[in-house]
Amino acid sequence: MEDKREERAAGIKVESVTPYGGGDKGEQVGEMFDSIAPAYDLMNSLMTFGLCRYWRDLALRLCAEENAVVHSVLDVATGTGDVAFALLRRFPEAQVCGVDLSQGMLDVAARKARNLPAADAARLSFRKGDSLALGFPDNSFDLVTVAYGVRNFEHLDRGLAEMLRVLRPGGSLCIVELSEPENKLLKGCYRLYAHKLIPGIGRLVSGDASAYSYLPKSIAACPQRRDMARLMQQAGFQNCRWKSLTCGAVTIYLGKKRI
């Protein structure tokens, strides 16, 4: 029975998984994040037991290890700016731009940015934009990051191609994305937590149960590990690799643009 459920899940494309039923995924994702923006940071900390900060910092450390010089960074699906602020600290000479579909999330990021020192604030900008049409010239950034965002792309292949386009030759892409453990026992425990407990917590904290029911469904449908690395390679990235953390609950993906 479990194998049959796995086969059915494997046939679902993440692009077809939407927060509120049928319709345009991009519009629904924007609506969803506008709804949960005030509670987003708290929910991330609660449902990951604070590990989201460790995952973020490890991903950026890996970026720094393979990018000796970083002058410009684009954080796609920046949300409330958590990764963008960490990028300022990790790359103190770089200009950082965060792009997101949700104005509600960007409003939270802008409020948080008011607490930055003036020198850091001068290096940071946020703008509303679509991951499928980023609005920057070709070869604009040394590094592109996207944390917990590729599941929400309306067209994953087009999003990967667009991030490749705006990278400079030799630049790097870093994706951080939630994933399911490969071990069957761990996966069973994970699914109990993700499908039963997280929606209830989300309803209490954010008031939007649908958003946190969408979360585990989109994780299950999203290409993971080898499959995501293969999609990155098909989009044109080189040296694509992945690193799973916390028993497979999150995966970091890295790739580079051809020089």
Side-chain angles (χ1 to χ4, degrees):
M1 183 66 71
E2 179 67 24
D3 290 340
K4 290 182 179 180
R5 285 198 296 267
E6 294 287 346
E7 290 174 5
R8 287 196 294 270
I12 300 173
K13 288 191 174 183
V14 69
E15 291 91 344
S16 68
V17 180
T18 58
Y20 303 119
D24 182 270
K25 179 164 185 172
E27 290 182 3
Q28 290 192 38
V29 165
E31 179 185 347
M32 176 187 73
F33 282 113
D34 283 345
S35 170
I36 66 175
Y40 182 79
D41 289 335
L42 176 59
M43 272 299 300
N44 273 4
S45 292
L46 289 174
M47 69 185 184
T48 67
F49 306 99
L51 287 170
C52 54
R53 291 182 287 275
Y54 164 72
W55 300 334
R56 174 202 67 199
D57 291 344
L58 176 57
L60 297 191
R61 190 184 80 197
L62 295 175
C63 290
E65 288 174 356
E66 67 171 46
N67 294 274
V69 178
V70 175
H71 297 296
S72 57
V73 188
L74 176 66
D75 185 39
V76 178
T78 194
T80 62
D82 183 62
V83 173
F85 297 126
L87 285 163
L88 290 176
R89 298 189 294 271
R90 174 60 69 174
F91 301 104
E93 305 300 321
Q95 293 288 323
V96 177
C97 179
V99 173
D100 200 275
L101 190 65
S102 165
Q103 188 59 53
M105 298 287 271
L106 291 172
D107 289 343
V108 175
R111 288 197 294 271
K112 291 160 66 175
R114 294 172 192 156
N115 297 320
L116 288 173
D120 286 345
R123 294 190 294 118
L124 177 64
S125 62
F126 291 111
R127 60 188 284 183
K128 187 174 182 180
D130 188 341
S131 60
L132 306 186
L134 290 169
F136 298 99
D138 295 356
N139 310 318
S140 293
F141 299 96
D142 299 310
L143 173 64
V144 174
T145 60
V146 52
Y148 318 117
V150 294
R151 290 176 294 104
N152 303 313
F153 288 4
E154 191 165 6
H155 301 284
L156 181 52
D157 55 347
R158 284 172 52 189
L160 290 170
E162 182 70 350
M163 291 188 288
L164 180 71
R165 181 187 68 79
V166 301
L167 269 175
R168 291 182 181 133
S172 295
L173 170 67
C174 177
I175 296 171
V176 184
E177 190 52 85
L178 298 169
S179 50
E180 293 190 323
E182 292 186 291
N183 177 278
K184 285 193 174 183
L185 177 60
L186 291 175
K187 182 182 285 189
C189 296
Y190 168 88
R191 286 187 170 178
L192 176 64
Y193 173 67
H195 288 265
K196 301 298 183 181
L197 295 180
I198 285 180
I201 297 170
R203 183 186 303 109
L204 291 173
V205 176
S206 74
D208 190 336
S210 294
Y212 290 96
S213 295
Y214 161 78
L215 174 67
K217 293 176 185 177
S218 63
I219 294 169
C222 189
Q224 297 175 20
R225 290 176 278 270
R226 302 163 193 83
D227 292 335
M228 180 65 77
R230 183 165 52 249
L231 283 178
M232 292 169 62
Q233 187 173 9
Q234 290 172 356
F237 289 95
Q238 293 186 317
N239 194 23
C240 300
R241 57 212 185 278
W242 50 271
K243 181 180 181 64
S244 282
L245 305 171
T246 316
C247 301
V250 69
T251 306
I252 298 170
Y253 303 91
L254 296 165
K256 294 188 76 71
K257 183 172 181 175
R258 184 190 303 272
I259 296 176

